[in-house]
Amino acid sequence: MKKISSLPLPAFILTLGGILRISGINASAIWYDEAFSFFMARLPLGKMLAQQWIEYSPPLWSLIERPFAHGPLWVLRLPALVASLASLYVVYLLMQRLNFDQWQQSLSAALVAFLPGLLWTAQDARVYALLSLLYLLAYLFALDGKWRSLGIVSVLM
């Protein structure tokens, strides 16, 4: 395992972004949209799917949130945090795949790691971090010509 000090600068920046996301997971109080996700995830499965028409999020999000809806607030926010951390890794893969030079990688990593909106989605029990991850994966699969994987990701969205 590499020491953090031996990581390339873009990977180091993305690691700092991950640490920042984790450190703020329990910082803010629950707000209306999170409470609504919490309510939807706690409904019986049949009722949850029947009520999905009033929810902006795709049904996949409510299904993902279901096992996490019976604990403290940070547990409810855990799926979004994991999706956001996975997005940081996919961004790193995309930078490598697109042959970014060092300056482009460092700038892209800093934007993705520290942009306030992306930090917020990582610490919010809503679908936005998952959608960001799925969009990034779709782009990566399209670049690599993995059409079956692209189709699966598109259906999940």
Side-chain angles (χ1 to χ4, degrees), residues 6-7 13 17 21 31 37 63 76 79 83-85 92 114 118 129 143 146 148-149 156:
S6 67
L7 287 175
I13 292 170
R21 282 161 171 73
W31 64 295
S37 291
L63 293 172
L76 183 67
S84 182
L85 294 173
Y92 184 78
F114 305 121
L118 295 177
L143 283 174
K146 296 181 178 178
R148 181 173 288 138
S149 298
L156 291 174

Side-chain angles (χ1 to χ4, degrees), residues 124-146:
D124 186 30
R126 295 291 291 158
V127 70
Y128 310 117
L130 176 65
L131 289 175
S132 296
L133 173 63
L134 293 174
Y135 293 142
L136 289 167
L137 284 171
Y139 186 55
L140 181 64
F141 293 146
L143 283 174
D144 291 340
K146 296 181 178 178

Side-chain angles (χ1 to χ4, degrees), residues 90-102 104-105 108 136 139-144:
V90 175
V91 165
Y92 184 78
L93 294 177
L94 281 168
M95 290 188 303
Q96 303 305 310
R97 174 68 173 82
L98 294 170
N99 296 320
F100 281 13
D101 62 32
Q102 186 68 27
Q104 291 169 324
Q105 286 184 27
S108 300
L136 289 167
Y139 186 55
L140 181 64
F141 293 146
L143 283 174
D144 291 340

Side-chain angles (χ1 to χ4, degrees), residues 11-134:
F12 181 71
I13 292 170
L14 291 172
T15 301
L16 289 177
I19 292 168
L20 192 57
R21 282 161 171 73
I22 293 168
S23 68
I25 191 71
N26 208 23
S28 63
I30 193 166
W31 64 295
Y32 176 78
D33 284 357
E34 286 181 306
F36 190 78
S37 291
F38 175 72
F39 171 76
M40 288 293 287
R42 291 184 67 141
L43 288 173
L45 186 60
K47 192 169 186 177
M48 180 191 74
L49 293 174
Q51 297 297 318
Q52 199 62 44
W53 66 273
I54 63 174
E55 168 71 301
Y56 166 75
S57 304
L60 174 65
W61 183 248
S62 295
L63 293 172
I64 289 172
E65 281 281 293
R66 234 174 136 63
F68 299 94
H70 300 284
L73 183 56
W74 70 269
V75 172
L76 183 67
R77 292 175 174 164
L78 202 54
L81 175 66
V82 170
S84 182
L85 294 173
S87 293
L88 293 175
Y89 179 68
V90 175
V91 165
Y92 184 78
L93 294 177
L94 281 168
M95 290 188 303
Q96 303 305 310
R97 174 68 173 82
L98 294 170
N99 296 320
F100 281 13
D101 62 32
Q102 186 68 27
W103 184 85
Q104 291 169 324
Q105 286 184 27
S106 298
L107 178 63
S108 300
L111 288 173
V112 171
F114 305 121
L115 206 65
L118 295 177
L119 292 171
W120 170 70
T121 61
Q123 300 163 355
D124 186 30
R126 295 291 291 158
V127 70
Y128 310 117
L130 176 65
L131 289 175
S132 296
L133 173 63
L134 293 174

